[in-house]
């Protein structure tokens, strides 16, 4: 359902005017990279984008790139995708942001292997350019072209989109397209397609976009940024590690850092949900209520959010819910208690993965009963499903079983008929190590990225049951151990948000991270503790809730007085 600007603007045109004024101000503020460049004849300049791009312009092996279309798109107004009273999806997708006039370029990087699919891309070139570019990350196993027209992860819906601010924006499908009836992971049977998904496609598309900017504006971008969430967060870290000269600023939200570990842990938990260990949704709610009863007040405020999941792990034991006597309802069986403990226990490998990693951490506590399906939600969406897990994966399956079982079949066994519940990493050790070397973004040596002036912001949601936020915390610790705290502080930040699920519902997550990145990269304004907000999805986008966004290792703590809807009533303190 969509509501046009004219429909909601009857409440007053001030929000629209303010948004337009803010866009102008932000464009003016971008002059630090060079004056805003206006294209004299936008239609002719857009049409000139149709020439192919030679392989020599792309820094990794390819057969060059073809431009399939170059279309001048007229400016458009903001519209809502999720007006109240509907339950809002992730904050950055509740609006279709206003866009300026821009040239939409669609094309494909051609593969070296004729059997490998091309890498599709979209590059949006505004008629008024601020000298920068922003590349968007993907999600899941990709396979869908990211159009890079919407808001980036965690963006404030009351702020202009990157394209409206004058950024060239870039997206890709990572080198394959999903198809009905075909497993999401089937592309991995082709070696080049797998390498493209792992890392190569993002570099190749970055190089294509630079070539197009040189054509359109007569110069390369002064600064290049990347923002991604989940799989897109992994892509951002991968670019900092593998291609440290290519981007100036990277925002990596809830990144799938230890990819091999996540797929193994997800498959392990899925296997516990095929039999008596399965937790039906009512028992998930029972567990979540018990966790809140024990741990909600640890941050000084009873608000339905476990603000200190690490402290909760020392206090809560799922065995307190074990059935006794003849009781069989409103309690957990032995198998169900063990399944919960399995999720919260590390997954140990008997051999090292890439960069010496030998384990995947167990999950923390809080947000178990978060509502929602698809990428939104807690246990039911991600770990337990709405029925016992089965093969083939169906609509009642958890996403961890969907993703993990397919990864085992297509990335490791390379056999769609393989039973993932029988997976033992030792049986596929050479292949597991090979895939880990491709997929895991766990290299702590970011010295080359730091030396070129790169800045990296990592954000973890502590009620995330899609990927484990403690894998991101472990990675940050490894960077500090490798580079030292002072050097790490000069170019990397880690923030955590208690109560937020994978895509940012359950707690405020909206923050203008693009402005934070540009301020750090271009003005040396290093970010400290920030503020995250929830905004109404209707004009005038009133703020309904605000909390500090704390630098790790501090966590949000209520001061004991003050309006709990306001950030000033909280502090960032040691847990």
């Amino acid at each position: 359902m969509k509501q046009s600007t004219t429909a909601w603007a009857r409440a007053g045109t001030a929000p629209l005017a303010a948004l337009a004024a803010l866009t102008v101000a932000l464009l003016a503020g971008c002059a630090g990279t060079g004056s805003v460049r206006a294209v004299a004849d936008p239609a002719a300049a857009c049409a000139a984008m149709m020439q192919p791009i030679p392989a020599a312009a792309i820094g990794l092996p390819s057969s060059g790139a073809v431009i399939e279309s170059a279309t001048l798109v007229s400016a458009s107004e903001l519209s809502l995708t999720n007006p109240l009273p509907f339950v809002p999806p992730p904050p950055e997708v509740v609006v279709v942001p206003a866009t300026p006039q821009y040239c939409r370029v669609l094309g494909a990087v051609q593969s070296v292997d004729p059997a490998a699919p091309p890498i599709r891309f979209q590059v949006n070139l505004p008629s008024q350019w601020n000298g920068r570019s922003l590349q968007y990350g993907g999600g899941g196993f990709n396979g869908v072209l990211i159009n890079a027209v919407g808001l980036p992860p965690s963006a404030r819906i009351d702020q202009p989109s990157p394209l409206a601010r004058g950024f060239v924006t870039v997206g890709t499908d990572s080198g394959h397209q999903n198809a009905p009836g075909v497993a999401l992971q089937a592309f991995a049977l082709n070696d080049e397609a797998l390498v493209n998904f792992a890392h190569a496609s993002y570099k190749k598309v970055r190089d294509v976009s630079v070539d197009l900017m040189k054509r359109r504006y007569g110069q390369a971008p002064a600064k290049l940024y990347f923002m991604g969430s989940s799989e897109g967060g992994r892509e951002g870290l991968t670019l900092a590690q593998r291609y440290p000269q290519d981007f100036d600023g990277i925002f990596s939200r809830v990144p799938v850092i230890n990819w091999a570990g996540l797929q193994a842990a997800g498959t392990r938990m899925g296997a516990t949900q095929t039999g008596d260990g399965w937790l039906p949704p009512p028992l998930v709610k029972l567990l979540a209520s018990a966790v809140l009863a024990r741990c909600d007040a640890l941050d000084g405020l009873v608000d339905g959010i476990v603000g200190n999941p690490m402290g909760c792990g020392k206090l809560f034991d799922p065995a307190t819910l074990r059935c006794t006597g003849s009781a069989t309802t409103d309690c957990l069986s032995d198998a169900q208690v063990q399944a919960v403990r399995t999720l919260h226990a590390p997954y140990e490998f008997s051999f090292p993965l890439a960069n010496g990693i030998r384990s995947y951490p167990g999950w923390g506590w809080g947000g178990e009963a978060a509502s929602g399906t698809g990428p939104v939600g807690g246990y039911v969406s991600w770990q337990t499903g709405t029925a016992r897990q089965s093969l083939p994966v169906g609509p009642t399956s958890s996403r961890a079983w969907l993703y993990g079982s397919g990864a085992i079949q297509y990335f490791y066994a390379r056999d769609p008929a393989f039973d993932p519940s029988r997976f033992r990493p030792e049986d596929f050790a050479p292949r597991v190590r090979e895939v880990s070397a491709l997929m895991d973004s766990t290299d702590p040596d970011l010295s080359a990225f730091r030396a070129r002036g790169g800045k990296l912001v990592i954000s973890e949601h502590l009620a995330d049951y899609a990927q484990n936020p403690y894998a991101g915390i472990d990675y940050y610790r490894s960077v500090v151990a490798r580079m030292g705290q002072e050097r790490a502080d000069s170019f990397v930040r880690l923030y955590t948000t208690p109560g937020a699920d994978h895509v940012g519902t359950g707690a405020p997550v909206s923050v203008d991270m693009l402005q934070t990145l540009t301020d750090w990269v271009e003005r040396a304004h290093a970010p400290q503790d920030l503020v995250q907000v929830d905004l109404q999805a209707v004009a005038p986008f009133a703020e309904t809730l605000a909390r500090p966004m704390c630098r790790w290792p501090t966590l949000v703590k209520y001061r004991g007085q003050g309006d709990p809807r306001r950030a000033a009533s909280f502090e960032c303190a040691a847990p």
Side-chain angles (χ1 to χ4, degrees):
M1 183 173 181
K2 186 175 290 187
Q3 182 174 332
S4 69
T5 299
T6 54
W8 56 257
R10 295 190 189 98
T13 58
L16 283 176
L19 192 61
L22 180 57
T23 303
V24 172
L26 286 167
L27 278 169
C30 294
T33 63
S35 300
V36 175
R37 295 181 63 85
V39 178
D41 187 342
C46 189
M49 297 295 103
M50 287 298 296
Q51 294 300 315
I53 296 172
I58 302 172
L60 293 175
S62 75
S63 296
V66 296
I67 306 302
E68 297 166 339
S69 66
T71 306
L72 188 66
V73 180
S74 299
S76 65
E77 293 184 326
L78 178 148
S79 62
L80 297 182
T81 64
N82 194 69
L84 298 179
F86 298 103
V87 176
E92 65 269 19
V93 301
V94 301
V95 301
V96 176
T99 59
Q101 183 188 74
Y102 68 98
C103 178
R104 181 180 63 218
V105 178
L106 296 171
V109 179
Q110 302 299 300
S111 59
V112 176
D113 174 8
I119 304 166
R120 309 201 69 81
F121 59 82
Q122 179 166 333
V123 179
N124 306 306
L125 302 145
S127 296
Q128 294 191 55
W129 184 44
N130 68 12
R132 304 178 177 117
S133 73
L134 173 64
Q135 188 164 325
Y136 286 51
F141 285 91
N142 289 333
V144 175
L145 178 60
I146 303 300
N147 65 26
V149 173
L151 296 174
S154 293
R156 293 178 58 116
I157 61 175
D158 61 344
Q159 301 293 312
S161 71
L163 186 58
R165 299 184 192 199
F167 285 79
V168 167
T169 61
V170 183
T172 178
D173 67 355
S174 86
H176 63 277
Q177 285 279 312
N178 296 334
V182 178
L184 295 173
Q185 304 88 348
F187 70 90
L189 297 176
N190 180 277
D191 287 340
E192 186 173 345
L194 176 53
V195 171
N196 281 336
F197 173 64
H199 62 87
S201 64
Y202 320 112
K203 159 68 173 172
K204 293 175 184 178
V205 168
R206 177 266 183 200
D207 292 351
V208 163
S209 71
V210 170
D211 187 86
L212 290 171
M213 283 180 266
K214 290 177 180 177
R215 283 191 206 175
R216 181 73 187 268
Y217 307 112
Q219 65 184 58
K223 300 294 179 184
L224 295 97
Y225 295 90
F226 186 97
M227 301 181 76
S229 182
S230 188
E231 158 58 25
R234 184 196 69 85
E235 294 160 17
L237 290 178
T238 295
L239 290 164
Q241 294 166 20
R242 289 182 180 267
Y243 307 107
Q245 303 304 318
D246 282 358
F247 289 91
D248 299 281
I250 294 172
F251 176 45
S252 177
R253 189 180 81 161
V254 297
V256 184
I257 290 175
N258 182 344
W259 189 94
L262 174 62
Q263 307 312 323
T267 302
R268 178 185 68 172
M269 183 59 181
T272 72
Q273 300 297 289
T274 60
D276 292 341
W278 177 59
L279 273 77
L283 290 187
V284 171
K285 291 183 178 180
L286 174 74
L287 175 69
S289 295
V291 170
L292 285 174
R294 193 73 178 93
C295 302
D296 192 351
L298 289 177
D299 60 357
L301 181 68
V302 176
D303 59 353
I305 292 176
V306 176
N308 185 353
M310 292 71 69
C312 186
K314 300 174 182 177
L315 297 174
F316 179 75
D317 184 349
T320 58
L321 298 175
R322 179 180 278 121
C323 297
T324 59
S326 60
T328 57
T329 60
D330 294 333
C331 58
L332 302 184
S333 68
D334 288 348
Q336 290 165 335
V337 169
Q338 185 55 43
V340 174
R341 285 178 167 167
T342 295
L343 180 64
H344 292 270
Y347 187 103
E348 303 289 349
F349 289 84
S350 62
F351 56 87
L353 302 174
N355 302 298
I357 303 296
R358 283 185 170 269
S359 67
Y360 191 78
W363 268 264
W365 299 97
E368 293 83 3
S371 62
T373 58
V376 180
Y379 265 34
V380 174
S381 177
W382 282 103
Q383 297 293 339
T384 59
T386 56
R388 285 181 173 85
Q389 308 303 287
S390 61
L391 290 173
V393 174
T396 61
S397 297
S398 71
R399 292 176 78 86
W401 185 239
L402 167 67
Y403 287 173
S405 64
I408 301 305
Q409 291 170 326
Y410 290 95
F411 281 68
Y412 297 145
R414 290 192 146 180
D415 176 5
F418 180 79
D419 180 358
S421 66
R422 294 173 34 236
F423 174 70
R424 295 174 67 253
E426 296 81 1
D427 297 338
F428 299 90
R431 181 61 180 170
V432 171
R433 283 192 288 259
E434 183 181 1
V435 171
S436 175
L438 278 173
M439 292 297 304
D440 292 350
S441 55
T442 54
D443 185 354
D445 185 2
L446 296 174
S447 54
F449 182 70
R450 176 182 181 272
R452 64 101 65 213
K455 308 299 182 187
L456 170 65
V457 175
I458 303 169
S459 173
E460 290 286 6
H461 299 165
L462 295 183
D464 183 354
Y465 289 99
Q467 65 88 38
N468 194 320
Y470 301 97
I473 292 169
D474 285 348
Y475 175 69
Y476 174 77
R477 286 171 171 156
S478 74
V479 173
V480 171
R482 176 63 179 262
M483 306 187 68
Q485 190 68 63
E486 184 176 353
R487 294 182 72 212
D489 286 347
S490 70
F491 77 101
V492 63
R493 292 284 186 272
L494 170 63
Y495 295 92
T496 59
T497 304
D501 73 359
H502 187 57
V503 294
T505 63
V509 298
S510 295
V511 60
D512 193 347
M513 193 57 72
L514 181 56
Q515 189 65 49
T516 298
L517 271 180
T518 57
D519 284 346
W520 198 8
V521 168
E522 299 170 25
R523 300 173 182 86
H525 294 166
Q528 304 304 321
D529 296 332
L530 303 172
V531 173
Q532 298 175 116
V533 300
D534 273 343
L535 301 171
Q536 286 186 345
V538 290
F541 306 115
E543 180 182 300
T544 59
L545 194 62
R547 293 282 168 87
M549 185 179 190
C550 298
R551 285 183 61 188
W552 179 262
T554 64
L555 294 174
V556 177
K557 187 174 183 180
Y558 184 55
R559 295 182 186 274
Q561 59 183 0
D563 187 345
R565 296 171 299 176
R566 300 290 174 253
S569 302
F570 298 82
E571 61 183 343
C572 293

